[in-house]
């Protein structure tokens, strides 16, 4: 049986999807992660690595390769792409160059690369938290967006409309990134011009430098800040042909600029007339459980496509058989989740295919910009994107999320 190595944080939403995909394809999936006590057996029984120690992790992967003889390596999340790239390079397996995937993880380095190669990008600067802040904000044109250098899921991303708001946002982000190990990522913050216009997401696959589109997602909720919580993703897109072409051109240019040649690509973009601007791009599949809505041809999922391509067996990508969408259920407020009411009623809404709550009752909810997870997901499929959107909105309206205040006691 062919073996594939999946490098993944122990709490990744995507591990289960890849395990199921590997089972469907009769492929042995070995998980390299950092939790030997995980409740997921594939993680607990897999290769125990340390994402903060590349040398030790690579040594353990090399040792495991003597047993499994890996045919391919894939990464599940932004936090695992760098190590996966180094492991693939060490074993001589097809993957993106480590320097290229680092650009998908570090927003500041990506902006510098795009600007250097002439790819349209918003004005930006990196602010050092170790130096006087006001002096670094001189001549800044507002509104702007303040971002950590290396976080995903809109965590720490804040819009600021003036200097006072910018200083407040920087102070808030400083607390969010204070725990990071990398000193550059802990001491620097990216500030870039706010781009108005519609926001969309792009999902694709690269093989030997050729980009194939899987889906373009509309985001019908305005993404105007002050925080940028993801909510609705609906495909196929309802954008005009010229707008779709601009998206494809922008993502293709960005892949070439980064030097990406293999594997999944997930990009976020803003549209301004006939022009598309890259917000960020990752060398992994769509986040959360969202890939569950994408089934191609004979019920082939995104993860199956990624695994087949990693094994050197890329397949022609058929169109989706219908319209699909997901709502990443927003967290209404900070506190302790008591319960979610109305799920049974929401499931009865026509075109709703599934509803999943990711947070257990009794656990704390932390909204953006400090939070990093979703409350849950609502999925829908229908004949048209409009029917999908209407179903998701109707189902969400059925839910009542009961949150109790959280009281933290400080030790004296």
């Amino acid at each position: 049986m062919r073996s594939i190595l999946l490098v993944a944080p122990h709490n990744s939403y995507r591990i289960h999807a890849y395990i199921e995909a590997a089972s469907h394809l009769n492929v042995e999936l070995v998980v390299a992660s950092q939790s030997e006590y995980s409740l997921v057996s594939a993680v607990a029984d897999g290769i125990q690595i340390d994402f903060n120690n590349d040398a030790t992790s690579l040594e353990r992967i090399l040792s495991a390769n003597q047993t499994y003889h890996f045919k391919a390596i894939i990464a599940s999340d932004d936090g695992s792409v760098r190590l996966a790239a180094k492991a693939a390079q060490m074993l001589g397996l097809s993957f993106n160059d480590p320097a290229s995937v680092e650009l998908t993880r570090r927003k500041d380095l990506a902006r510098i690369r795009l600007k250097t190669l002439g790819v349209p990008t918003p004005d930006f600067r990196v602010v050092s938290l170790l130096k006087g802040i006001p002096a670094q904000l001189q001549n800044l044109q507002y509104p702007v967006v303040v971002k950590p250098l290396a976080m995903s899921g809109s965590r720490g991303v804040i819009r600021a409309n003036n200097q006072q708001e910018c200083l407040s946002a920087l102070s808030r982000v400083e607390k969010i990134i204070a725990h990071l190990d990398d000193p550059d990522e802990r001491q620097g913050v990216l500030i870039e011009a706010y781009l108005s216009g519609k926001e969309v997401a792009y999902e694709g696959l690269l093989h030997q430098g050729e980009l194939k589109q899987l889906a373009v997602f509309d985001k019908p909720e305005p993404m105007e800040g002050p925080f940028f919580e993801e909510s609705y993703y609906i495909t196929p897109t309802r954008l005009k042909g010229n707008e779709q072409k601009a998206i494809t051109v922008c993502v293709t240019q960005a892949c070439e600029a980064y030097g990406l040649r293999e594997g999944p690509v997930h990009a976020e973009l803003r549209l301004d007339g006939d022009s598309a601007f890259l917000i960020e791009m990752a060398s992994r599949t769509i986040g959360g459980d969202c890939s569950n809505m994408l089934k191609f041809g004979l019920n082939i999922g995104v993860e199956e496509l990624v695994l087949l391509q990693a094994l050197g067996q890329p397949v022609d990508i058929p169109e989706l058989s219908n319209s699909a969408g997901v709502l990443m259920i927003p967290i209404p407020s900070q506190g302790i989740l008591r319960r979610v009411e109305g799920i049974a009623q929401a499931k009865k809404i026509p075109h709703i295919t599934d509803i999943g709550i990711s947070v257990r009752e009794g656990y704390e909810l932390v909204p953006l910009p400090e939070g990093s997870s979703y409350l849950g997901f609502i999925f829908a499929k229908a004949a048209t994107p409009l029917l999908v959107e209407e179903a998701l909105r109707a189902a969400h309206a059925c839910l009542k999320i009961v949150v109790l205040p959280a009281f933290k006691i400080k030790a004296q």
Side-chain angles (χ1 to χ4, degrees):
M1 181 182 291
R2 296 167 298 177
S3 296
I4 295 180
L5 177 66
L6 172 66
V7 184
H10 73 279
N11 58 351
S12 171
Y13 284 99
R14 301 176 184 88
I15 292 176
H16 181 68
Y18 274 115
I19 290 173
E20 286 195 338
S23 177
H24 294 163
L25 298 174
N26 195 31
V27 170
E28 181 179 27
L29 189 75
V30 180
V31 180
S33 192
Q34 77 278 35
S35 180
E36 60 183 314
Y37 304 111
S38 172
L39 297 178
V40 180
S41 60
V43 175
D45 298 337
I47 305 169
Q48 298 305 312
I49 59 174
D50 181 354
F51 284 110
N52 294 319
N53 189 329
D54 287 357
T56 298
S57 298
L58 291 172
E59 183 179 335
R60 291 176 180 175
I61 290 172
L62 182 62
S63 176
N65 185 60
Q66 296 176 6
T67 299
Y68 295 105
H69 307 291
F70 298 118
K71 299 300 182 183
I73 294 179
I74 56 176
S76 66
D77 295 74
D78 296 329
S80 60
V81 292
R82 179 173 58 185
L83 181 60
K86 289 184 177 181
Q89 189 177 62
M90 175 182 69
L91 298 179
L93 297 173
S94 178
F95 204 85
N96 292 307
D97 186 90
S100 296
V101 299
E102 182 70 354
L103 295 175
T104 70
R105 202 184 65 81
R106 280 283 297 269
K107 297 178 176 64
D108 57 326
L109 301 180
R111 286 288 182 231
I112 292 170
R113 174 64 63 84
L114 292 174
K115 183 177 181 180
T116 300
L117 296 183
V119 179
T121 186
D123 292 336
F124 67 93
R125 66 181 67 178
V126 176
V127 169
S128 171
L129 298 175
L130 301 180
K131 301 177 182 179
I133 300 297
Q136 297 180 75
L137 303 184
Q138 289 183 2
N139 303 318
L140 194 61
Q141 299 296 312
Y142 295 94
V144 297
V145 179
V146 178
K147 299 180 176 183
L149 301 185
M151 282 187 171
S152 59
S154 299
R155 189 179 184 197
V157 181
I158 306 173
R159 173 174 170 168
N161 298 307
N162 52 54
Q163 181 165 316
Q164 182 177 355
E165 290 184 5
C166 190
L167 290 169
S168 176
L170 287 166
S171 176
R172 197 164 180 174
V173 172
E174 183 176 12
K175 296 181 178 68
I176 294 171
I177 63 177
H179 71 284
L180 299 179
D181 294 309
D182 187 297
D184 290 337
E185 296 169 15
R186 188 174 62 249
Q187 298 163 3
V189 178
L190 179 67
I191 300 179
E192 60 185 35
Y194 169 78
L195 297 174
S196 59
K198 293 176 285 190
E199 184 163 320
V200 298
Y202 177 99
E203 195 78 7
L205 277 175
L206 278 165
H207 181 59
Q208 297 179 353
E210 181 182 353
L211 180 65
K212 292 185 178 181
Q213 177 180 306
L214 294 177
V216 174
F217 299 93
D218 290 337
K219 300 184 182 184
E221 284 290 287
M223 303 281 285
E224 298 174 346
F227 313 126
F228 297 87
E229 186 171 40
E230 300 282 15
S231 55
Y232 295 91
Y233 270 43
I234 298 171
T235 192
T237 179
R238 288 165 277 185
L239 294 172
K240 299 175 183 178
N242 60 324
E243 293 174 313
Q244 295 186 50
K245 182 178 179 180
I247 291 168
T248 301
V249 169
C250 182
V251 177
T252 301
Q253 288 179 334
C255 288
E256 293 173 351
Y258 286 21
L260 298 176
R261 294 187 53 79
E262 299 291 344
V265 171
H266 178 78
E268 309 284 341
L269 306 97
R270 283 277 171 123
L271 289 164
D272 182 10
D274 291 338
S275 299
F277 293 86
L278 187 73
I279 301 298
E280 58 186 50
M281 185 168 68
S283 52
R284 46 123 177 116
T285 58
I286 189 171
D289 285 336
C290 298
S291 65
N292 291 348
M293 65 175 153
L294 294 177
K295 298 294 181 181
F296 302 86
L298 299 175
N299 205 35
I300 299 174
V302 174
E303 290 78 17
E304 281 97 332
L305 294 175
V306 172
L307 292 176
L308 285 169
Q309 184 167 286
L311 289 170
Q313 300 174 267
V315 297
D316 290 332
I317 302 171
E319 292 185 3
L320 291 168
S321 56
N322 49 28
S323 298
V326 61
L327 168 63
M328 289 154 269
I329 304 173
I331 293 177
S333 61
Q334 185 161 353
I336 304 300
L337 178 63
R338 182 65 183 88
R339 61 185 177 274
V340 179
E341 301 174 353
I343 295 177
Q345 181 184 357
K347 286 183 175 180
K348 294 178 182 178
I349 299 294
H351 311 305
I352 295 298
T353 58
D354 193 20
I355 299 176
I357 303 301
S358 305
V359 182
R360 294 181 183 179
E361 295 179 4
Y363 280 66
E364 185 178 10
L365 298 178
V366 182
L368 288 175
E370 286 77 16
S372 60
S373 60
Y374 306 114
L375 175 61
F377 304 86
I378 304 176
F379 297 93
K381 289 186 177 180
T384 68
L386 179 59
L387 287 174
V388 168
E389 181 180 345
E390 291 175 344
L392 292 172
R393 292 187 184 278
H396 186 219
C398 294
L399 301 183
K400 181 181 179 182
I401 302 162
V402 182
V403 181
L404 300 179
F407 299 99
K408 296 185 178 181
I409 301 175
K410 293 184 178 181
Q412 298 295 325

